[in-house]
Amino acid sequence: LTAPMTLSNGVTILGLGYGTYQTPNEETKKAVLEALSVGYRHIDTAAVYGNEQGVGAALKESDIAREDIFVTSKLWNTERGYDATKAAFAQTIATLGVDYLDLYLIHWPANTKQFEAKDAELNAETWRAMEDLYNEGKIRAIGVSNFMPHHLDALMKTAVIKPMADQIEVHPGWPQAEAVRYNQVHDILVEVWAPLGEASALSNETIATIATKHGKTAAQVCLRWGIQQGVLPLPKSTHQERMAQNTDIFDFELTDSEMTQISALENLGGQCMVPDDVDF
Ligand code: A2P
């Protein structure tokens, strides 16, 4: 299905994953089973999505071995801090019904719009708990989500283990080139949420023209644009034919000029959530 990528600690991660944000728990088991059946082996969830139970039910019901599926979850904002992180992790693996996670991420750098000194302190304590869980072998890799370079700079002041991944919003119209570059320079894998701009990029004319040229769909072009930048897209769909379509992106290549045209697109009206501007 996908070319494997390697995290800075040597752990292999599949270069495309199935996202589950906003999939209601009741629908998640069926959606994840369908995703597994079309070949996904990398599932991304989070405690705040409320669907870890559905993901776990699908893992259990599929006849695929646990070690053949890469499972990621995320620590919710209100659970930051050393003891709270350990408790939230225990809850997450219990809800998923697994004994370990492949990747665990701090979901956001702060609980509110502001990133203050107290958030940096709280993240440092949170990270210490993540490092301990990692050293105990309960998580194969640890990382962050929605961290911009200044959030990572703050974390690195006390981190003993460097984050292995940063999951951020990237899509045509919202390339976040500086954050992508910063992560890549620091050997932090960029995972991407909303790689289709929550469908906002799919009706863009430039993308449609490029798609026609390659005999591909707009969604496939958006995902390919990510792959060719070395990021790991996590598209979501609850339709099986689209899930399958979103995996069929490894048999064509965008030209440099097509890559540049897509990277230059103005905001297409996707979510474009600036982490400093998040209102929870
Ligand atoms: P649906 O779940 O009805 O298939 P993102 O991953 O950027 O958040 O985008 C998700 C949105 O894009 C969902 O609304 C999903 O709808 C839609 N979507 C996902 N894959 C495709 C596709 N291949 N073609 C058209 N729409 C898609």
Side-chain angles (χ1 to χ4, degrees):
L1 167 69
T2 85
M5 299 172 100
T6 308
L7 296 170
S8 60
N9 65 341
V11 164
T12 301
I13 181 168
L14 292 174
L16 180 77
Y18 178 69
T20 62
Y21 175 52
Q22 284 174 337
T23 306
N25 191 46
E26 319 75 83
E27 292 168 32
T28 300
K29 181 174 121 182
K30 178 171 175 278
V32 171
L33 280 171
E34 285 179 356
L36 292 170
S37 79
V38 303
Y40 287 89
R41 290 293 180 272
H42 173 177
I43 311 293
D44 183 272
T45 183
V48 77
Y49 300 172
N51 60 17
E52 287 173 320
Q53 188 271 332
V55 170
L59 297 177
K60 202 165 184 187
E61 196 163 309
S62 82
D63 48 13
I64 303 160
R66 168 70 187 90
E67 61 270 25
D68 292 335
I69 305 177
F70 193 98
V71 182
T72 300
S73 194
K74 312 183 193 84
L75 173 84
W76 186 237
N77 304 342
T78 50
E79 310 307 311
R80 292 181 306 144
Y82 187 87
D83 292 333
T85 296
K86 285 203 146 178
F89 172 78
Q91 182 63 59
T92 272
I93 57 169
T95 308
L96 280 162
V98 297
D99 344 315
Y100 70 93
L101 279 184
D102 292 284
L103 179 63
Y104 196 41
L105 308 175
I106 304 180
H107 207 141
W108 288 94
N111 296 12
T112 64
K113 287 185 182 193
Q114 306 300 328
F115 180 69
E116 297 167 349
K118 68 173 172 37
D119 292 302
E121 275 167 39
L122 201 50
N123 288 345
E125 281 303 286
T126 303
W127 192 250
R128 204 161 58 76
M130 308 266 283
E131 289 174 333
D132 285 354
L133 291 164
Y134 173 77
N135 285 329
E136 287 162 25
K138 293 184 175 142
I139 316 175
R140 295 179 65 228
I142 50 178
V144 294
S145 181
N146 300 304
F147 274 49
M148 294 294 111
H150 66 289
H151 302 126
L152 283 159
D153 284 338
L155 191 75
M156 305 271 213
K157 284 191 186 144
T158 55
V160 177
I161 300 172
K162 242 178 36 173
M164 290 139 202
D166 186 9
Q167 185 178 127
I168 58 177
E169 180 187 8
V170 173
H171 47 80
W174 190 245
Q176 300 224 75
E178 192 190 322
V180 170
R181 198 172 317 112
Y182 176 100
N183 278 308
Q184 291 180 339
V185 163
H186 289 87
D187 201 13
I188 299 169
L189 178 77
V190 177
E191 297 190 301
V192 164
W193 61 266
L196 313 175
E198 298 192 315
S200 69
L202 303 181
S203 47
N204 176 264
E205 229 169 86
T206 304
I207 294 174
T209 306
I210 294 171
T212 306
K213 252 186 229 159
H214 289 276
K216 288 285 178 182
T217 66
Q220 290 169 323
V221 167
C222 292
L223 298 171
R224 187 70 212 173
W225 170 78
I227 297 282
Q228 286 183 220
Q229 293 176 67
V231 307
L232 189 162
L234 298 165
K236 53 182 196 279
S237 172
T238 47
H239 294 95
Q240 200 171 5
E241 72 287 355
R242 289 177 176 170
M243 293 176 192
Q245 183 196 112
N246 294 346
T247 68
D248 186 17
I249 54 171
F250 296 93
D251 61 349
F252 76 111
E253 196 156 353
L254 299 172
T255 64
D256 290 348
S257 144
E258 289 167 340
M259 287 293 292
T260 308
Q261 280 178 61
I262 299 171
S263 298
L265 289 172
E266 303 276 323
N267 187 342
L268 302 173
Q271 183 155 4
C272 302
M273 187 180 270
V274 186
D276 277 351
D277 194 25
V278 174
D279 200 356
F280 294 108

